[in-house]
Amino acid sequence: GQNIDQPTEMTATEGAIVQINCTYQTSGFNGLFWYQQHAGEAPTFLSYNVLDGLEEKGRFSSFLSRSKGYSYLLLKELQMKDSASYLCAGLDSNYQLIWGAGTKLIIKP
Amino acid sequence: EAQVTQNPRYLITVTGKKLTVTCSQNMNHEYMSWYRQDPGLGLRQIYYSMNVEVTDKGDVPEGYKVSRKEKRNFPLILESPSPNQTSLYFCASSSSGELYNEQFFGPGTRLTVL
């Protein structure tokens, strides 16, 4: 079956670094997405990885290892506004998105 | 402004009373999709559409209908809503369903069925 696993909740301190992990099992693989979703709002796109390695975008970076079925989202210099849920989604061989349940990130001052 | 709009944003209704949630995008996207989001579960796809007059079932289509008569609109119809359809619904669109492209989401519709 197809499955995306990510931690339910994480807590970090303002100004610190946090890594949110995601493991995936999909029928075929055409890439992995990360979305951010603030409470009560729509998800917004953060990153897409299809090749192994690290992609950096400002304070946010995303890493993919296809051989391990593993990705992580790295957030640096955490700000209070980064408190949100982070959704991992894999794109399968039919180009359908398989979504994880999301990781709720709590930032403490 | 490029956007996906949904109406209504909030709706409380009763079991069995037919309702429609509208979705419209102004980005000329081919691909549109409906999701529901429930606590502890990921986004689950209800229906999707690759283009006008082409719709397909997602993971949880039971109790829902859709239509795609125009490129910009993709309404979600609940013919006879039941309490287990109480959820947060999102419409999304992207420029193509077969290649990588980020999905743009509407603001969500919070539906309560009593």
Side-chain angles (χ1 to χ4, degrees):
Chain A
Q2 305 198 94
N3 196 51
I4 303 283
D5 281 319
Q6 53 182 132
T8 304
E9 187 175 295
M10 298 181 71
T11 302
T13 304
E14 190 177 16
I17 299 172
V18 71
Q19 177 175 311
I20 303 173
N21 297 324
C22 170
T23 57
Y24 64 88
Q25 288 179 304
T26 57
S27 300
F29 180 75
N30 282 301
L32 192 120
F33 290 83
W34 284 96
Y35 280 76
Q36 181 189 59
Q37 185 179 24
H38 286 100
E41 298 183 9
T44 55
F45 171 80
L46 287 177
S47 68
Y48 170 75
N49 295 67
V50 67
L51 299 176
D52 284 355
L54 186 69
E55 300 253 352
E56 297 186 66
K57 260 190 205 179
R59 293 188 300 114
F60 290 13
S61 303
S62 56
F63 172 83
L64 178 68
S65 168
R66 294 178 67 132
S67 63
K68 294 182 180 177
Y70 167 71
S71 173
Y72 68 72
L73 182 69
L74 191 71
L75 292 74
K76 302 177 185 175
E77 300 168 17
L78 285 169
Q79 302 174 9
M80 297 304 293
K81 68 178 182 179
D82 297 330
S83 292
S85 288
Y86 291 86
L87 312 180
C88 175
L91 196 61
D92 71 11
S93 57
N94 295 319
Y95 293 93
Q96 294 301 305
L97 279 170
I98 311 302
W99 294 86
T103 299
K104 182 178 181 180
L105 178 63
I106 299 167
I107 310 294
K108 295 187 174 178
Chain B
E1 180 191 353
Q3 60 182 347
V4 179
T5 57
Q6 292 178 230
N7 281 293
R9 295 288 314 278
Y10 303 90
L11 179 61
I12 300 174
T13 189
V14 295
T15 299
K17 187 176 181 183
K18 180 180 179 180
L19 67 92
T20 299
V21 184
T22 64
C23 172
S24 183
Q25 50 91 7
N26 63 0
M27 295 169 278
N28 202 37
H29 285 166
E30 295 86 9
Y31 183 91
M32 296 186 75
S33 179
W34 274 104
Y35 294 95
R36 60 178 289 172
Q37 187 175 39
D38 301 291
L41 301 176
L43 287 165
R44 292 183 291 168
Q45 190 176 54
I46 302 170
Y47 270 95
Y48 65 97
S49 170
M50 302 287 275
N51 215 324
V52 177
E53 301 291 1
V54 180
T55 62
D56 276 298
K57 295 178 180 178
D59 298 319
V60 289
E62 295 76 23
Y64 304 95
K65 286 174 59 176
V66 293
S67 67
R68 187 90 182 273
K69 297 177 182 174
E70 306 163 284
K71 199 172 189 179
R72 63 183 294 129
N73 296 323
F74 190 45
L76 179 70
I77 303 155
L78 285 72
E79 295 270 6
S80 183
S82 63
N84 65 11
Q85 292 178 299
T86 292
S87 188
L88 179 59
Y89 291 86
F90 288 104
C91 179
S93 73
S94 64
S95 62
S96 172
E98 291 197 3
L99 301 174
Y100 148 63
N101 265 301
E102 68 176 278
Q103 291 198 22
F104 293 84
F105 284 81
T109 296
R110 189 167 292 280
L111 173 66
T112 301
V113 183
L114 302 176

